[in-house]
Amino acid sequence: MESECVTTPFGRRPMSLAMLLKQRRGEAIEPGTRRNKWKLFRSVCEARARLGVSDRALTVLDALLTFFPDDELSGGKGLVVFPSNAQLCLRARGMAAATLRRHLAGLVEAGLISRKDSPNGKRYIRRHREGGLDEAYGFSLAPLLARATEIETIAARIAADRQMLRAMKERLTICRRDIAKLVSAAVAEAVPGDWERTSSMFQALLQRIPRAATPENLSPVLEELETARRNIINTLESHEKIQIASTNESQIERHIQNSNPESTSESEPGLETGQKANRDCEPRAGLERCEPRMVGKDGEGSRAIARTNAAGLKSFPLGMVLQACPDIVDYGPGAAIASWRDLMMAAVVVRSMLGVGPSAYEEAAKVMGPENTAAVMACILQRGESINSAGGYLRDLTRRAERGEFALGPVLMAQLRTRGSSPSHPAQAALR
């Protein structure tokens, strides 16, 4: 506490009850209160808007703090600084005297400093005979120390609000991007829905984003945008599930219709007329499953290597496809593929995962047949990252198959060589 007496202003400046209350508040320093003056000054800068001081007034406060000899402010020390106006102007970056007086009055009004005027209005100190400080007249920093906790709390709240606002703006940006791209994807894929109305609502929400954003006025807009994004995602996921179910049913139906009804084996896509399936299996090297041995009219055992479908493509044994492209097995029912039906179901899952549109897959199945299309999807999955766009690649292969320029055999053989003794021969060459 600086003084038990009230200090009234010198000269013509009037006294007011507000000044009296501010003086008393500046004297009410909790015992043991200590603060580093520069850390406290940074808190004042952070809380400047809430404290009602300008940036130029902070320059004057910075200059006043330089006249305090210690880095630590405490209630046990004299907190009065007494620089002349000339010296204070120099340390305030050459501020004009009239401007300096105005900002000093602003700091007093904000309750950060208080005046302790001498009888003649001059700033000085009086020492006793031992040389110690007896009395000082000037500007007291006691109000700044007394409000240290309040100022630090305000500064911490402002910093937290700024961090929250930054996070909300990031969420808002991501949400805007997601909605725009999801609506574009829905329109491109012809997903049923009133996407024009959704787009209009989205634009209306964007118009409501405030220019001077705060956590309070930005939060409602962000919540509505996130709700709209969630609704769009739910609509797209529901459509995708319906498409997968529809594709599975249509593929299985075509497979049953195109299969030879006289064949008793489900492990081959089709057999030549006059051949019969032997129930016994013959295991192949490197495969866990076996393939049926075919018995021709002459009674000799022979393996049905391939048959030609309506598009001129040959369908190869399931075991050969799985040996060339084993990664597809993980997507079969129960992580296993025991039949062509299982392979086609796994291909539908892989199609959705690789982003191949339903229309591209349907067109490929019409041209190449459902079994060959499933085998092609297995090859595309096996090649992984070497194919940039699986959907575009499948459409290109479909067009080649229509022209008679694509054969599945070289693809599978290249994959087998890649996995076998000739890893230097990539499958990519066979797919050209």
Side-chain angles (χ1 to χ4, degrees):
M1 186 178 297
E2 293 297 321
S3 175
E4 296 293 340
C5 300
V6 175
T7 302
T8 56
F10 173 79
R12 296 181 179 180
R13 292 193 302 271
M15 182 65 179
S16 65
L17 293 179
M19 293 175 61
L20 176 62
L21 292 177
K22 289 176 182 178
Q23 284 188 24
R24 289 305 186 189
R25 185 169 58 178
E27 295 172 358
I29 301 176
E30 294 291 335
T33 302
R34 296 175 180 273
R35 292 293 188 279
N36 181 282
K37 64 180 182 181
W38 298 122
K39 291 182 179 180
L40 184 56
F41 177 72
R42 282 194 292 271
S43 297
V44 173
C45 294
E46 185 75 60
R48 177 179 65 83
R50 300 280 182 88
L51 295 175
V53 293
S54 64
D55 53 347
R56 299 297 300 277
L58 292 180
T59 302
V60 176
L61 180 60
D62 181 30
L64 286 173
L65 289 174
T66 61
F67 287 100
F68 190 77
D70 299 330
D71 286 339
E72 185 179 70
L73 301 177
S74 66
K77 299 179 180 178
L79 296 177
V80 176
V81 292
F82 39 89
S84 64
N85 280 354
Q87 291 297 319
L88 197 53
C89 287
L90 289 177
R91 296 199 187 183
R93 301 353 181 227
M95 186 179 294
T99 306
L100 176 70
R101 288 193 294 269
R102 186 172 69 252
H103 290 305
L104 283 172
L107 291 173
V108 173
E109 182 66 24
L112 297 179
I113 62 173
S114 62
R115 298 179 186 271
K116 189 176 180 182
D117 291 342
S118 65
N120 60 1
K122 302 295 184 180
R123 302 173 199 143
Y124 60 87
I125 60 171
R126 186 172 64 247
R127 300 182 182 276
H128 48 67
R129 293 183 178 180
E130 289 77 13
L133 179 63
D134 186 20
E135 194 64 70
Y137 298 99
F139 296 103
S140 174
L141 302 176
L144 182 63
L145 182 60
R147 299 181 63 187
T149 302
E150 175 194 352
I151 293 171
E152 291 167 348
T153 301
I154 295 174
R157 187 180 300 113
I158 290 176
D161 289 346
R162 184 172 59 250
Q163 185 176 2
M164 181 185 301
L165 182 61
R166 185 185 302 113
M168 292 178 67
K169 286 183 176 179
E170 291 174 354
R171 288 169 53 194
L172 181 66
T173 300
I174 294 174
C175 194
R176 291 175 59 180
R177 181 185 66 198
D178 291 347
I179 292 177
K181 290 185 178 293
L182 288 172
V183 171
S184 298
V187 173
E189 295 287 342
V191 178
D194 192 355
W195 299 114
E196 183 176 355
R197 179 173 175 271
T198 301
S199 180
S200 299
M201 292 177 59
F202 174 54
Q203 295 299 327
L205 283 175
L206 295 184
Q207 295 297 326
R208 290 174 50 194
I209 297 177
R211 292 184 178 273
T214 63
E216 291 75 17
N217 59 22
L218 194 61
S219 179
V221 180
L222 179 58
E223 289 180 1
E224 293 189 38
L225 284 173
E226 290 180 338
T227 301
R229 177 178 61 181
R230 187 161 52 249
N231 293 336
I232 294 172
I233 292 174
N234 291 338
T235 302
L236 296 180
E237 288 180 346
S238 299
H239 174 73
E240 186 66 18
K241 290 178 181 178
I242 294 173
Q243 285 294 105
I244 291 175
S246 176
T247 303
N248 285 343
E249 292 176 1
S250 61
Q251 287 181 346
I252 293 172
E253 182 179 356
R254 286 197 303 272
H255 171 66
I256 294 175
Q257 292 175 353
N258 295 335
S259 298
N260 189 348
E262 298 180 358
S263 174
T264 59
S265 172
E266 198 180 26
S267 297
E268 297 293 342
L271 303 176
E272 296 180 0
T273 305
Q275 289 182 331
K276 296 181 181 179
N278 188 349
R279 294 291 182 179
D280 297 331
C281 291
E282 178 183 62
R284 298 186 59 183
L287 293 178
E288 295 181 358
R289 301 178 181 82
C290 56
E291 298 176 1
R293 178 178 295 278
M294 309 312 301
V295 180
K297 292 181 179 180
D298 56 358
E300 295 182 357
S302 62
R303 190 179 306 278
I305 299 301
R307 71 174 176 87
T308 304
N309 64 11
L313 291 178
K314 292 182 178 180
S315 297
F316 290 82
L318 177 65
M320 182 179 181
V321 175
L322 296 180
Q323 186 178 11
C325 308
D327 290 352
I328 193 72
V329 177
D330 295 334
Y331 299 92
I337 294 178
S339 64
W340 280 98
R341 179 176 297 180
D342 292 346
L343 179 63
M344 287 188 290
M345 294 178 67
V348 172
V349 176
V350 171
R351 173 196 71 76
S352 177
M353 181 187 71
L354 296 181
V356 177
S359 59
Y361 193 87
E362 289 285 345
E363 184 66 23
K366 290 179 182 178
V367 175
M368 295 186 287
E371 296 92 350
N372 285 333
T373 303
V376 169
M377 289 304 303
C379 294
I380 293 175
L381 174 67
Q382 193 68 34
R383 292 184 57 189
E385 299 179 355
S386 60
I387 298 177
N388 293 329
S389 173
Y393 192 74
L394 181 62
R395 290 185 185 274
D396 182 65
L397 293 183
T398 303
R399 289 192 293 268
R400 293 185 186 183
E402 287 180 326
R403 299 192 299 266
E405 299 175 356
F406 171 67
L408 183 59
V411 177
L412 296 176
M413 296 306 297
Q415 291 288 84
L416 288 172
R417 287 196 300 269
T418 301
R419 292 180 47 77
S421 59
S422 301
S424 61
H425 299 285
Q428 184 176 0
L431 285 171
R432 293 177 181 173

